[in-house]
Amino acid sequence: LLPPSPASLLASSRARLLSALSRLERAGPLGLATYSLALCLWEMTAGITTPAETAAGAAFGRVRGGLASGAGKVSGALASFLLGRYIFHDRVRARLGDHEVLSLVQESVRERPLRVALLLRFSPLPEFAKNYGMAVLDVRFRWFAAAVALHGLPFTALWSCLGDETA
């Protein structure tokens, strides 16, 4: 027996995601809140939100899908940062010790916090790595939140509109 092809796995995953989002869409505001909470948890653990945001645009429409995705994505990023800052920070810093690259990035954070936060948000790392990684640095919460909004919300709008257009 041959394993399923990547194309069939993708089609199957897409169909399951659209089916789940369709059920949530029929549930009204409770469905939107459930989707936002699920995306928040996804942002905190897996971090690749593009497929879910695009599918939400298809299921809920660009406005409701964008608002629900934005709420879930931003709240997940902020919760990850706060967990990283107040729960994991000391253990991670102790393990890293005097890491040279970390010291250089930390120096840049002190000089230009928003710029560094934005550069890290635009880096090709999974969202959870960016969220928890910046919690280890001395990035203030307000700069992190500003970078999340400036980086994440335009992409959320883009993916929601794309999903709505392809529905």
Side-chain angles (χ1 to χ4, degrees), residues 27-131:
L30 181 61
L32 279 173
T34 301
Y35 165 75
S36 288
L37 177 61
L39 189 63
C40 172
L41 295 173
W42 185 260
E43 171 82 16
M44 293 174 70
T45 56
I48 300 170
T49 60
T50 305
E53 291 177 281
T54 305
F60 302 124
R62 72 182 66 202
V63 174
R64 292 182 327 132
L67 290 173
S69 291
K73 186 176 191 174
V74 169
S75 62
L78 298 180
S80 298
F81 180 85
L82 292 172
L83 272 173
R85 174 63 48 91
Y86 296 108
I87 305 295
F88 306 121
H89 181 273
D90 293 341
R91 280 182 265 175
V92 172
R93 288 298 287 228
R95 287 190 128 215
L96 291 174
D98 292 330
H99 194 274
E100 183 180 355
V101 173
L102 185 64
S103 297
L104 291 171
V105 172
Q106 189 58 49
E107 186 178 320
S108 294
V109 166
R110 280 191 287 277
E111 293 172 8
R112 294 198 167 104
L114 182 59
R115 178 185 287 181
V116 172
L118 278 170
L119 287 172
L120 289 173
R121 292 300 303 173
F122 278 100
S123 69
L125 298 169
E127 297 294 322
F128 72 89
K130 298 179 220 182
N131 298 334

Side-chain angles (χ1 to χ4, degrees), residues 3 12 17-18 24 27 34 37 52 61 64 77 95 100 112 118 126 138 144 156 162:
S12 165
L17 180 62
L18 287 173
L24 290 175
T34 301
L37 177 61
R64 292 182 327 132
R95 287 190 128 215
E100 183 180 355
R112 294 198 167 104
L118 278 170
D138 292 333
F144 177 78
T156 294
L162 180 65

